[in-house]
Amino acid sequence: MSRPEDTEYNSDGNIPAAVVWDLDGTLVESAPDLANALNAILAEKGLAPRSVDAVRMMIGAGVPKLIERGFRAAGAPLDEAELNAVVPRFMERYLACATDNTYLIDGARDVLEHCRLAGLDQGLCTNKPEAVTRKILAKLGVDHYFGCVIGGDSTPARKPDPLPLLTCLEGLGTSPAKAVMVGDSGADVGAAKAAGVRILLVPDGYTGVAPESLGADRVVENLADVPRHMSVPGPH
């Protein structure tokens, strides 16, 4: 695979063939739009809104978990049947506003372009539903970077199950041993470790816990630092 002479990927010769990205908290800031959708649903039930900062810490395990956490925080926990009934209404609200205030994190476009020029195949694996994921990627003008997009409803399981990540790699035609994942959460670490994929974490995601405590192969200083850290030690 040919790469630019000035690439930083080959610091120890362990050069990946593909990189799979998480979305929320890794490449995009989506908390404001998710908070707007959640608060609209809470308002319909006569419940007080949650702040964007509070909602940011609820993101990462898929829409049902976000709704469950939001209603619990508002003092009105939902049982399974109630939760299932709310999900479609939330998605209606979210699809209508998903690109209003969502934006690329600083350095995201540059690092995606850097990886493209380096010859890496790129995929995206998120717990956000696939349709709204694709809408956001298109609106932000980065959809062309990804050879495979797997959302939270694209497979029967969500991260930290390895199935979505393995499905993404299959779509890219890359084996786990030749891939790196970049994410921000314990779900990303869990999926990557279970799939046998090296995992880098960015420090400013949505988990609310120290990224160093999550068991990644490496925590980078910021998103722009990802390229020079691609050659992380392989999984054990």
Side-chain angles (χ1 to χ4, degrees), residues 21-31 34 56 59-63 66 94 98 102 105 124-129 132-133 136 159 182-185 188 202 204-207:
W21 302 89
D22 173 52
L23 185 64
D24 297 310
T26 300
L27 291 176
V28 306
E29 169 61 85
S30 55
L34 284 164
R56 185 175 286 109
I59 298 169
V63 165
L66 169 63
Y94 185 45
T102 291
I105 289 171
L124 190 129
C125 183
T126 175
N127 281 338
K128 185 188 292 293
V132 71
T133 294
I136 289 169
K159 298 179 296 183
V182 181
D184 72 310
S185 71
D188 296 319
V202 296
D204 300 320
Y206 291 168
T207 63

PDB file of all heavy atoms in Angstrom, residues 21-31 34 56 59-63 66 94 98 102 105 124-129 132-133 136 159 182-185 188 202 204-207:
ATOM      1  N   TRP A  21     -13.754   4.817  12.958  1.00  0.00           N
ATOM      2  CA  TRP A  21     -14.020   5.924  13.872  1.00  0.00           C
ATOM      3  C   TRP A  21     -15.363   5.756  14.574  1.00  0.00           C
ATOM      4  O   TRP A  21     -16.343   5.324  13.974  1.00  0.00           O
ATOM      5  CB  TRP A  21     -14.069   7.241  13.092  1.00  0.00           C
ATOM      6  CG  TRP A  21     -12.849   7.567  12.323  1.00  0.00           C
ATOM      7  CD1 TRP A  21     -12.566   7.206  11.031  1.00  0.00           C
ATOM      8  CD2 TRP A  21     -11.719   8.320  12.772  1.00  0.00           C
ATOM      9  NE1 TRP A  21     -11.334   7.685  10.653  1.00  0.00           N
ATOM     10  CE2 TRP A  21     -10.793   8.376  11.706  1.00  0.00           C
ATOM     11  CE3 TRP A  21     -11.415   8.963  13.970  1.00  0.00           C
ATOM     12  CZ2 TRP A  21      -9.575   9.040  11.806  1.00  0.00           C
ATOM     13  CZ3 TRP A  21     -10.206   9.624  14.076  1.00  0.00           C
ATOM     14  CH2 TRP A  21      -9.298   9.662  12.999  1.00  0.00           C
ATOM     15  N   ASP A  22     -15.402   6.163  15.830  1.00  0.00           N
ATOM     16  CA  ASP A  22     -16.662   6.445  16.513  1.00  0.00           C
ATOM     17  C   ASP A  22     -17.134   7.822  16.033  1.00  0.00           C
ATOM     18  O   ASP A  22     -16.370   8.561  15.409  1.00  0.00           O
ATOM     19  CB  ASP A  22     -16.438   6.425  18.024  1.00  0.00           C
ATOM     20  CG  ASP A  22     -17.662   6.865  18.813  1.00  0.00           C
ATOM     21  OD1 ASP A  22     -18.751   6.311  18.582  1.00  0.00           O
ATOM     22  OD2 ASP A  22     -17.526   7.799  19.633  1.00  0.00           O
ATOM     23  N   LEU A  23     -18.374   8.191  16.328  1.00  0.00           N
ATOM     24  CA  LEU A  23     -18.907   9.475  15.870  1.00  0.00           C
ATOM     25  C   LEU A  23     -19.047  10.484  17.008  1.00  0.00           C
ATOM     26  O   LEU A  23     -18.265  11.421  17.126  1.00  0.00           O
ATOM     27  CB  LEU A  23     -20.252   9.272  15.176  1.00  0.00           C
ATOM     28  CG  LEU A  23     -20.864  10.524  14.532  1.00  0.00           C
ATOM     29  CD1 LEU A  23     -19.991  11.046  13.393  1.00  0.00           C
ATOM     30  CD2 LEU A  23     -22.282  10.230  14.037  1.00  0.00           C
ATOM     31  N   ASP A  24     -20.052  10.323  17.859  1.00  0.00           N
ATOM     32  CA  ASP A  24     -20.351  11.297  18.910  1.00  0.00           C
ATOM     33  C   ASP A  24     -19.210  11.391  19.917  1.00  0.00           C
ATOM     34  O   ASP A  24     -18.804  10.392  20.501  1.00  0.00           O
ATOM     35  CB  ASP A  24     -21.634  10.913  19.651  1.00  0.00           C
ATOM     36  CG  ASP A  24     -22.847  10.915  18.754  1.00  0.00           C
ATOM     37  OD1 ASP A  24     -23.054  11.906  18.053  1.00  0.00           O
ATOM     38  OD2 ASP A  24     -23.582   9.904  18.737  1.00  0.00           O
ATOM     39  N   GLY A  25     -18.703  12.602  20.117  1.00  0.00           N
ATOM     40  CA  GLY A  25     -17.639  12.806  21.076  1.00  0.00           C
ATOM     41  C   GLY A  25     -16.259  12.504  20.528  1.00  0.00           C
ATOM     42  O   GLY A  25     -15.266  12.830  21.174  1.00  0.00           O
ATOM     43  N   THR A  26     -16.207  11.886  19.354  1.00  0.00           N
ATOM     44  CA  THR A  26     -14.932  11.566  18.717  1.00  0.00           C
ATOM     45  C   THR A  26     -14.707  12.453  17.505  1.00  0.00           C
ATOM     46  O   THR A  26     -13.704  13.166  17.421  1.00  0.00           O
ATOM     47  CB  THR A  26     -14.883  10.087  18.303  1.00  0.00           C
ATOM     48  OG1 THR A  26     -15.049   9.262  19.457  1.00  0.00           O
ATOM     49  CG2 THR A  26     -13.556   9.749  17.628  1.00  0.00           C
ATOM     50  N   LEU A  27     -15.637  12.440  16.567  1.00  0.00           N
ATOM     51  CA  LEU A  27     -15.544  13.278  15.374  1.00  0.00           C
ATOM     52  C   LEU A  27     -16.495  14.459  15.409  1.00  0.00           C
ATOM     53  O   LEU A  27     -16.214  15.485  14.777  1.00  0.00           O
ATOM     54  CB  LEU A  27     -15.832  12.445  14.117  1.00  0.00           C
ATOM     55  CG  LEU A  27     -14.791  11.390  13.737  1.00  0.00           C
ATOM     56  CD1 LEU A  27     -15.282  10.585  12.535  1.00  0.00           C
ATOM     57  CD2 LEU A  27     -13.441  12.018  13.429  1.00  0.00           C
ATOM     58  N   VAL A  28     -17.637  14.329  16.084  1.00  0.00           N
ATOM     59  CA  VAL A  28     -18.608  15.413  16.091  1.00  0.00           C
ATOM     60  C   VAL A  28     -19.079  15.740  17.500  1.00  0.00           C
ATOM     61  O   VAL A  28     -19.085  14.889  18.393  1.00  0.00           O
ATOM     62  CB  VAL A  28     -19.850  15.102  15.207  1.00  0.00           C
ATOM     63  CG1 VAL A  28     -19.447  14.726  13.794  1.00  0.00           C
ATOM     64  CG2 VAL A  28     -20.709  14.016  15.831  1.00  0.00           C
ATOM     65  N   GLU A  29     -19.464  16.985  17.673  1.00  0.00           N
ATOM     66  CA  GLU A  29     -20.163  17.464  18.873  1.00  0.00           C
ATOM     67  C   GLU A  29     -21.640  17.487  18.541  1.00  0.00           C
ATOM     68  O   GLU A  29     -22.103  18.314  17.748  1.00  0.00           O
ATOM     69  CB  GLU A  29     -19.666  18.850  19.246  1.00  0.00           C
ATOM     70  CG  GLU A  29     -20.502  19.570  20.309  1.00  0.00           C
ATOM     71  CD  GLU A  29     -20.549  18.835  21.627  1.00  0.00           C
ATOM     72  OE1 GLU A  29     -19.634  19.009  22.436  1.00  0.00           O
ATOM     73  OE2 GLU A  29     -21.529  18.087  21.826  1.00  0.00           O
ATOM     74  N   SER A  30     -22.382  16.549  19.096  1.00  0.00           N
ATOM     75  CA  SER A  30     -23.806  16.404  18.775  1.00  0.00           C
ATOM     76  C   SER A  30     -24.705  16.606  19.982  1.00  0.00           C
ATOM     77  O   SER A  30     -25.937  16.530  19.860  1.00  0.00           O
ATOM     78  CB  SER A  30     -24.073  15.018  18.184  1.00  0.00           C
ATOM     79  OG  SER A  30     -23.610  14.005  19.062  1.00  0.00           O
ATOM     80  N   ALA A  31     -24.117  16.872  21.141  1.00  0.00           N
ATOM     81  CA  ALA A  31     -24.909  16.972  22.366  1.00  0.00           C
ATOM     82  C   ALA A  31     -26.011  18.028  22.303  1.00  0.00           C
ATOM     83  O   ALA A  31     -27.118  17.783  22.802  1.00  0.00           O
ATOM     84  CB  ALA A  31     -23.999  17.221  23.565  1.00  0.00           C
ATOM     85  N   LEU A  34     -29.014  16.521  20.427  1.00  0.00           N
ATOM     86  CA  LEU A  34     -29.583  15.420  21.206  1.00  0.00           C
ATOM     87  C   LEU A  34     -30.328  15.964  22.427  1.00  0.00           C
ATOM     88  O   LEU A  34     -31.395  15.461  22.784  1.00  0.00           O
ATOM     89  CB  LEU A  34     -28.477  14.454  21.637  1.00  0.00           C
ATOM     90  CG  LEU A  34     -27.957  13.539  20.530  1.00  0.00           C
ATOM     91  CD1 LEU A  34     -26.620  12.921  20.931  1.00  0.00           C
ATOM     92  CD2 LEU A  34     -28.980  12.452  20.200  1.00  0.00           C
ATOM     93  N   ARG A  56     -24.829  15.437  27.634  1.00  0.00           N
ATOM     94  CA  ARG A  56     -23.558  14.967  27.062  1.00  0.00           C
ATOM     95  C   ARG A  56     -23.076  13.713  27.776  1.00  0.00           C
ATOM     96  O   ARG A  56     -22.543  12.794  27.147  1.00  0.00           O
ATOM     97  CB  ARG A  56     -22.513  16.072  27.149  1.00  0.00           C
ATOM     98  CG  ARG A  56     -21.199  15.738  26.469  1.00  0.00           C
ATOM     99  CD  ARG A  56     -20.221  16.908  26.473  1.00  0.00           C
ATOM    100  NE  ARG A  56     -20.616  17.930  25.514  1.00  0.00           N
ATOM    101  CZ  ARG A  56     -21.108  19.120  25.835  1.00  0.00           C
ATOM    102  NH1 ARG A  56     -21.296  19.443  27.120  1.00  0.00           N
ATOM    103  NH2 ARG A  56     -21.434  20.003  24.913  1.00  0.00           N
ATOM    104  N   ILE A  59     -24.825  10.264  26.666  1.00  0.00           N
ATOM    105  CA  ILE A  59     -24.661   9.797  25.291  1.00  0.00           C
ATOM    106  C   ILE A  59     -23.664   8.645  25.253  1.00  0.00           C
ATOM    107  O   ILE A  59     -22.712   8.607  26.021  1.00  0.00           O
ATOM    108  CB  ILE A  59     -24.166  10.953  24.395  1.00  0.00           C
ATOM    109  CG1 ILE A  59     -25.189  12.077  24.374  1.00  0.00           C
ATOM    110  CG2 ILE A  59     -23.860  10.481  22.980  1.00  0.00           C
ATOM    111  CD1 ILE A  59     -24.672  13.363  23.736  1.00  0.00           C
ATOM    112  N   GLY A  60     -23.897   7.707  24.308  1.00  0.00           N
ATOM    113  CA  GLY A  60     -22.862   6.708  24.066  1.00  0.00           C
ATOM    114  C   GLY A  60     -23.318   5.282  23.978  1.00  0.00           C
ATOM    115  O   GLY A  60     -22.582   4.428  23.486  1.00  0.00           O
ATOM    116  N   ALA A  61     -24.501   4.973  24.433  1.00  0.00           N
ATOM    117  CA  ALA A  61     -24.959   3.579  24.426  1.00  0.00           C
ATOM    118  C   ALA A  61     -26.200   3.395  23.566  1.00  0.00           C
ATOM    119  O   ALA A  61     -26.896   2.388  23.686  1.00  0.00           O
ATOM    120  CB  ALA A  61     -25.235   3.107  25.848  1.00  0.00           C
ATOM    121  N   GLY A  62     -26.480   4.364  22.693  1.00  0.00           N
ATOM    122  CA  GLY A  62     -27.644   4.258  21.822  1.00  0.00           C
ATOM    123  C   GLY A  62     -28.805   5.101  22.311  1.00  0.00           C
ATOM    124  O   GLY A  62     -28.844   5.557  23.468  1.00  0.00           O
ATOM    125  N   VAL A  63     -29.772   5.296  21.415  1.00  0.00           N
ATOM    126  CA  VAL A  63     -30.923   6.153  21.718  1.00  0.00           C
ATOM    127  C   VAL A  63     -31.740   5.661  22.905  1.00  0.00           C
ATOM    128  O   VAL A  63     -32.100   6.454  23.786  1.00  0.00           O
ATOM    129  CB  VAL A  63     -31.796   6.321  20.456  1.00  0.00           C
ATOM    130  CG1 VAL A  63     -33.169   6.896  20.810  1.00  0.00           C
ATOM    131  CG2 VAL A  63     -31.098   7.231  19.449  1.00  0.00           C
ATOM    132  N   LEU A  66     -30.037   6.615  26.099  1.00  0.00           N
ATOM    133  CA  LEU A  66     -30.094   8.070  26.312  1.00  0.00           C
ATOM    134  C   LEU A  66     -31.446   8.473  26.885  1.00  0.00           C
ATOM    135  O   LEU A  66     -31.530   9.246  27.856  1.00  0.00           O
ATOM    136  CB  LEU A  66     -29.840   8.792  24.996  1.00  0.00           C
ATOM    137  CG  LEU A  66     -30.110  10.308  24.979  1.00  0.00           C
ATOM    138  CD1 LEU A  66     -29.193  11.035  25.945  1.00  0.00           C
ATOM    139  CD2 LEU A  66     -29.943  10.857  23.562  1.00  0.00           C
ATOM    140  N   TYR A  94     -35.592  14.036  16.809  1.00  0.00           N
ATOM    141  CA  TYR A  94     -34.163  14.160  16.561  1.00  0.00           C
ATOM    142  C   TYR A  94     -33.845  14.274  15.076  1.00  0.00           C
ATOM    143  O   TYR A  94     -33.004  15.082  14.671  1.00  0.00           O
ATOM    144  CB  TYR A  94     -33.425  12.976  17.181  1.00  0.00           C
ATOM    145  CG  TYR A  94     -31.919  13.091  17.067  1.00  0.00           C
ATOM    146  CD1 TYR A  94     -31.266  14.282  17.364  1.00  0.00           C
ATOM    147  CD2 TYR A  94     -31.150  12.007  16.667  1.00  0.00           C
ATOM    148  CE1 TYR A  94     -29.880  14.395  17.255  1.00  0.00           C
ATOM    149  CE2 TYR A  94     -29.772  12.109  16.553  1.00  0.00           C
ATOM    150  CZ  TYR A  94     -29.143  13.303  16.848  1.00  0.00           C
ATOM    151  OH  TYR A  94     -27.780  13.415  16.727  1.00  0.00           O
ATOM    152  N   ALA A  98     -31.325  17.145  13.890  1.00  0.00           N
ATOM    153  CA  ALA A  98     -30.026  16.494  14.113  1.00  0.00           C
ATOM    154  C   ALA A  98     -28.840  17.245  13.546  1.00  0.00           C
ATOM    155  O   ALA A  98     -27.697  17.029  13.987  1.00  0.00           O
ATOM    156  CB  ALA A  98     -30.048  15.074  13.543  1.00  0.00           C
ATOM    157  N   THR A 102     -25.088  20.507  15.373  1.00  0.00           N
ATOM    158  CA  THR A 102     -24.018  19.506  15.415  1.00  0.00           C
ATOM    159  C   THR A 102     -22.885  19.931  14.486  1.00  0.00           C
ATOM    160  O   THR A 102     -23.132  20.373  13.367  1.00  0.00           O
ATOM    161  CB  THR A 102     -24.572  18.134  15.000  1.00  0.00           C
ATOM    162  OG1 THR A 102     -25.468  17.674  16.032  1.00  0.00           O
ATOM    163  CG2 THR A 102     -23.471  17.106  14.808  1.00  0.00           C
ATOM    164  N   ILE A 105     -15.701  18.273  15.413  1.00  0.00           N
ATOM    165  CA  ILE A 105     -14.736  18.633  16.437  1.00  0.00           C
ATOM    166  C   ILE A 105     -13.478  19.169  15.755  1.00  0.00           C
ATOM    167  O   ILE A 105     -13.119  18.752  14.655  1.00  0.00           O
ATOM    168  CB  ILE A 105     -14.430  17.411  17.319  1.00  0.00           C
ATOM    169  CG1 ILE A 105     -15.666  17.096  18.199  1.00  0.00           C
ATOM    170  CG2 ILE A 105     -13.191  17.620  18.187  1.00  0.00           C
ATOM    171  CD1 ILE A 105     -15.585  15.808  18.954  1.00  0.00           C
ATOM    172  N   LEU A 124     -16.873   3.921   9.850  1.00  0.00           N
ATOM    173  CA  LEU A 124     -17.478   4.579  10.997  1.00  0.00           C
ATOM    174  C   LEU A 124     -18.397   3.590  11.695  1.00  0.00           C
ATOM    175  O   LEU A 124     -19.219   2.937  11.047  1.00  0.00           O
ATOM    176  CB  LEU A 124     -18.251   5.825  10.571  1.00  0.00           C
ATOM    177  CG  LEU A 124     -18.687   6.686  11.762  1.00  0.00           C
ATOM    178  CD1 LEU A 124     -18.289   8.140  11.554  1.00  0.00           C
ATOM    179  CD2 LEU A 124     -20.187   6.582  11.983  1.00  0.00           C
ATOM    180  N   CYS A 125     -18.233   3.477  13.018  1.00  0.00           N
ATOM    181  CA  CYS A 125     -19.028   2.538  13.812  1.00  0.00           C
ATOM    182  C   CYS A 125     -19.542   3.275  15.041  1.00  0.00           C
ATOM    183  O   CYS A 125     -18.782   3.626  15.940  1.00  0.00           O
ATOM    184  CB  CYS A 125     -18.160   1.345  14.223  1.00  0.00           C
ATOM    185  SG  CYS A 125     -19.040   0.072  15.144  1.00  0.00           S
ATOM    186  N   THR A 126     -20.847   3.513  15.070  1.00  0.00           N
ATOM    187  CA  THR A 126     -21.467   4.314  16.117  1.00  0.00           C
ATOM    188  C   THR A 126     -22.705   3.618  16.658  1.00  0.00           C
ATOM    189  O   THR A 126     -23.306   2.789  15.963  1.00  0.00           O
ATOM    190  CB  THR A 126     -21.857   5.698  15.555  1.00  0.00           C
ATOM    191  OG1 THR A 126     -22.572   6.434  16.556  1.00  0.00           O
ATOM    192  CG2 THR A 126     -22.727   5.585  14.314  1.00  0.00           C
ATOM    193  N   ASN A 127     -23.105   3.961  17.867  1.00  0.00           N
ATOM    194  CA  ASN A 127     -24.365   3.455  18.412  1.00  0.00           C
ATOM    195  C   ASN A 127     -25.548   4.338  18.029  1.00  0.00           C
ATOM    196  O   ASN A 127     -26.687   4.036  18.377  1.00  0.00           O
ATOM    197  CB  ASN A 127     -24.272   3.332  19.934  1.00  0.00           C
ATOM    198  CG  ASN A 127     -23.516   2.084  20.365  1.00  0.00           C
ATOM    199  OD1 ASN A 127     -23.406   1.121  19.615  1.00  0.00           O
ATOM    200  ND2 ASN A 127     -22.989   2.088  21.581  1.00  0.00           N
ATOM    201  N   LYS A 128     -25.294   5.438  17.319  1.00  0.00           N
ATOM    202  CA  LYS A 128     -26.370   6.271  16.812  1.00  0.00           C
ATOM    203  C   LYS A 128     -27.044   5.557  15.637  1.00  0.00           C
ATOM    204  O   LYS A 128     -26.366   4.907  14.836  1.00  0.00           O
ATOM    205  CB  LYS A 128     -25.795   7.611  16.345  1.00  0.00           C
ATOM    206  CG  LYS A 128     -26.832   8.631  15.910  1.00  0.00           C
ATOM    207  CD  LYS A 128     -26.166   9.854  15.287  1.00  0.00           C
ATOM    208  CE  LYS A 128     -25.380  10.666  16.277  1.00  0.00           C
ATOM    209  NZ  LYS A 128     -26.215  11.322  17.291  1.00  0.00           N
ATOM    210  N   PRO A 129     -28.362   5.635  15.469  1.00  0.00           N
ATOM    211  CA  PRO A 129     -29.016   4.968  14.336  1.00  0.00           C
ATOM    212  C   PRO A 129     -28.401   5.365  12.999  1.00  0.00           C
ATOM    213  O   PRO A 129     -27.952   6.506  12.809  1.00  0.00           O
ATOM    214  CB  PRO A 129     -30.469   5.434  14.451  1.00  0.00           C
ATOM    215  CG  PRO A 129     -30.664   5.697  15.914  1.00  0.00           C
ATOM    216  CD  PRO A 129     -29.356   6.262  16.381  1.00  0.00           C
ATOM    217  N   VAL A 132     -29.786   8.616  10.734  1.00  0.00           N
ATOM    218  CA  VAL A 132     -29.430   9.946  11.219  1.00  0.00           C
ATOM    219  C   VAL A 132     -27.917  10.147  11.169  1.00  0.00           C
ATOM    220  O   VAL A 132     -27.431  11.256  10.941  1.00  0.00           O
ATOM    221  CB  VAL A 132     -30.004  10.201  12.630  1.00  0.00           C
ATOM    222  CG1 VAL A 132     -29.294   9.390  13.688  1.00  0.00           C
ATOM    223  CG2 VAL A 132     -29.961  11.694  12.966  1.00  0.00           C
ATOM    224  N   THR A 133     -27.160   9.073  11.349  1.00  0.00           N
ATOM    225  CA  THR A 133     -25.706   9.149  11.195  1.00  0.00           C
ATOM    226  C   THR A 133     -25.342   9.603   9.788  1.00  0.00           C
ATOM    227  O   THR A 133     -24.530  10.519   9.592  1.00  0.00           O
ATOM    228  CB  THR A 133     -25.065   7.786  11.481  1.00  0.00           C
ATOM    229  OG1 THR A 133     -25.263   7.459  12.860  1.00  0.00           O
ATOM    230  CG2 THR A 133     -23.576   7.797  11.183  1.00  0.00           C
ATOM    231  N   ILE A 136     -26.089  13.279   9.184  1.00  0.00           N
ATOM    232  CA  ILE A 136     -25.103  14.168   9.788  1.00  0.00           C
ATOM    233  C   ILE A 136     -23.821  14.188   8.959  1.00  0.00           C
ATOM    234  O   ILE A 136     -23.259  15.254   8.680  1.00  0.00           O
ATOM    235  CB  ILE A 136     -24.817  13.743  11.237  1.00  0.00           C
ATOM    236  CG1 ILE A 136     -26.035  14.053  12.121  1.00  0.00           C
ATOM    237  CG2 ILE A 136     -23.566  14.430  11.780  1.00  0.00           C
ATOM    238  CD1 ILE A 136     -25.959  13.437  13.499  1.00  0.00           C
ATOM    239  N   LYS A 159     -22.197  -1.580  20.258  1.00  0.00           N
ATOM    240  CA  LYS A 159     -20.991  -1.539  21.098  1.00  0.00           C
ATOM    241  C   LYS A 159     -21.416  -1.435  22.569  1.00  0.00           C
ATOM    242  O   LYS A 159     -22.379  -0.733  22.856  1.00  0.00           O
ATOM    243  CB  LYS A 159     -20.138  -0.324  20.715  1.00  0.00           C
ATOM    244  CG  LYS A 159     -19.622  -0.304  19.285  1.00  0.00           C
ATOM    245  CD  LYS A 159     -18.812   0.950  18.987  1.00  0.00           C
ATOM    246  CE  LYS A 159     -19.620   2.229  19.061  1.00  0.00           C
ATOM    247  NZ  LYS A 159     -18.865   3.456  18.718  1.00  0.00           N
ATOM    248  N   VAL A 182     -10.712   4.370  16.647  1.00  0.00           N
ATOM    249  CA  VAL A 182     -10.554   5.606  17.410  1.00  0.00           C
ATOM    250  C   VAL A 182     -11.911   5.964  18.007  1.00  0.00           C
ATOM    251  O   VAL A 182     -12.898   6.102  17.281  1.00  0.00           O
ATOM    252  CB  VAL A 182     -10.053   6.761  16.521  1.00  0.00           C
ATOM    253  CG1 VAL A 182      -9.873   8.018  17.369  1.00  0.00           C
ATOM    254  CG2 VAL A 182      -8.754   6.391  15.824  1.00  0.00           C
ATOM    255  N   GLY A 183     -11.971   6.075  19.325  1.00  0.00           N
ATOM    256  CA  GLY A 183     -13.224   6.384  19.993  1.00  0.00           C
ATOM    257  C   GLY A 183     -13.019   7.246  21.215  1.00  0.00           C
ATOM    258  O   GLY A 183     -11.955   7.850  21.393  1.00  0.00           O
ATOM    259  N   ASP A 184     -14.039   7.274  22.072  1.00  0.00           N
ATOM    260  CA  ASP A 184     -13.960   8.128  23.261  1.00  0.00           C
ATOM    261  C   ASP A 184     -14.526   7.471  24.504  1.00  0.00           C
ATOM    262  O   ASP A 184     -14.567   8.113  25.552  1.00  0.00           O
ATOM    263  CB  ASP A 184     -14.713   9.442  23.019  1.00  0.00           C
ATOM    264  CG  ASP A 184     -16.224   9.258  22.995  1.00  0.00           C
ATOM    265  OD1 ASP A 184     -16.703   8.356  22.262  1.00  0.00           O
ATOM    266  OD2 ASP A 184     -16.928   9.980  23.716  1.00  0.00           O
ATOM    267  N   SER A 185     -14.955   6.206  24.416  1.00  0.00           N
ATOM    268  CA  SER A 185     -15.733   5.644  25.525  1.00  0.00           C
ATOM    269  C   SER A 185     -15.340   4.213  25.851  1.00  0.00           C
ATOM    270  O   SER A 185     -14.650   3.531  25.088  1.00  0.00           O
ATOM    271  CB  SER A 185     -17.222   5.667  25.171  1.00  0.00           C
ATOM    272  OG  SER A 185     -17.501   4.699  24.170  1.00  0.00           O
ATOM    273  N   ASP A 188     -16.427   1.802  23.189  1.00  0.00           N
ATOM    274  CA  ASP A 188     -15.476   1.655  22.090  1.00  0.00           C
ATOM    275  C   ASP A 188     -14.344   0.709  22.486  1.00  0.00           C
ATOM    276  O   ASP A 188     -13.950  -0.163  21.710  1.00  0.00           O
ATOM    277  CB  ASP A 188     -14.901   3.016  21.697  1.00  0.00           C
ATOM    278  CG  ASP A 188     -15.959   3.956  21.156  1.00  0.00           C
ATOM    279  OD1 ASP A 188     -16.823   3.503  20.381  1.00  0.00           O
ATOM    280  OD2 ASP A 188     -15.928   5.153  21.511  1.00  0.00           O
ATOM    281  N   VAL A 202      -9.692   9.447  22.297  1.00  0.00           N
ATOM    282  CA  VAL A 202      -9.507  10.896  22.414  1.00  0.00           C
ATOM    283  C   VAL A 202      -9.951  11.302  23.819  1.00  0.00           C
ATOM    284  O   VAL A 202     -10.801  10.654  24.420  1.00  0.00           O
ATOM    285  CB  VAL A 202     -10.298  11.650  21.333  1.00  0.00           C
ATOM    286  CG1 VAL A 202      -9.772  11.294  19.948  1.00  0.00           C
ATOM    287  CG2 VAL A 202     -11.794  11.337  21.416  1.00  0.00           C
ATOM    288  N   ASP A 204     -11.531  14.057  25.117  1.00  0.00           N
ATOM    289  CA  ASP A 204     -12.615  14.994  25.417  1.00  0.00           C
ATOM    290  C   ASP A 204     -13.974  14.477  24.981  1.00  0.00           C
ATOM    291  O   ASP A 204     -14.800  15.204  24.441  1.00  0.00           O
ATOM    292  CB  ASP A 204     -12.341  16.341  24.734  1.00  0.00           C
ATOM    293  CG  ASP A 204     -11.042  16.962  25.218  1.00  0.00           C
ATOM    294  OD1 ASP A 204     -10.778  16.866  26.428  1.00  0.00           O
ATOM    295  OD2 ASP A 204     -10.307  17.521  24.394  1.00  0.00           O
ATOM    296  N   GLY A 205     -14.222  13.194  25.197  1.00  0.00           N
ATOM    297  CA  GLY A 205     -15.472  12.605  24.756  1.00  0.00           C
ATOM    298  C   GLY A 205     -16.605  12.796  25.744  1.00  0.00           C
ATOM    299  O   GLY A 205     -16.591  13.720  26.564  1.00  0.00           O
ATOM    300  N   TYR A 206     -17.565  11.892  25.700  1.00  0.00           N
ATOM    301  CA  TYR A 206     -18.806  12.055  26.445  1.00  0.00           C
ATOM    302  C   TYR A 206     -18.924  11.152  27.673  1.00  0.00           C
ATOM    303  O   TYR A 206     -19.996  11.014  28.238  1.00  0.00           O
ATOM    304  CB  TYR A 206     -19.989  11.744  25.520  1.00  0.00           C
ATOM    305  CG  TYR A 206     -20.228  12.753  24.414  1.00  0.00           C
ATOM    306  CD1 TYR A 206     -21.098  12.456  23.373  1.00  0.00           C
ATOM    307  CD2 TYR A 206     -19.611  13.991  24.406  1.00  0.00           C
ATOM    308  CE1 TYR A 206     -21.343  13.368  22.360  1.00  0.00           C
ATOM    309  CE2 TYR A 206     -19.833  14.905  23.404  1.00  0.00           C
ATOM    310  CZ  TYR A 206     -20.706  14.587  22.379  1.00  0.00           C
ATOM    311  OH  TYR A 206     -20.944  15.484  21.378  1.00  0.00           O
ATOM    312  N   THR A 207     -17.827  10.518  28.095  1.00  0.00           N
ATOM    313  CA  THR A 207     -17.963   9.529  29.156  1.00  0.00           C
ATOM    314  C   THR A 207     -18.033  10.128  30.553  1.00  0.00           C
ATOM    315  O   THR A 207     -18.638   9.552  31.444  1.00  0.00           O
ATOM    316  CB  THR A 207     -16.781   8.545  29.120  1.00  0.00           C
ATOM    317  OG1 THR A 207     -15.570   9.273  29.368  1.00  0.00           O
ATOM    318  CG2 THR A 207     -16.693   7.854  27.779  1.00  0.00           C
TER     319      THR A 207
END
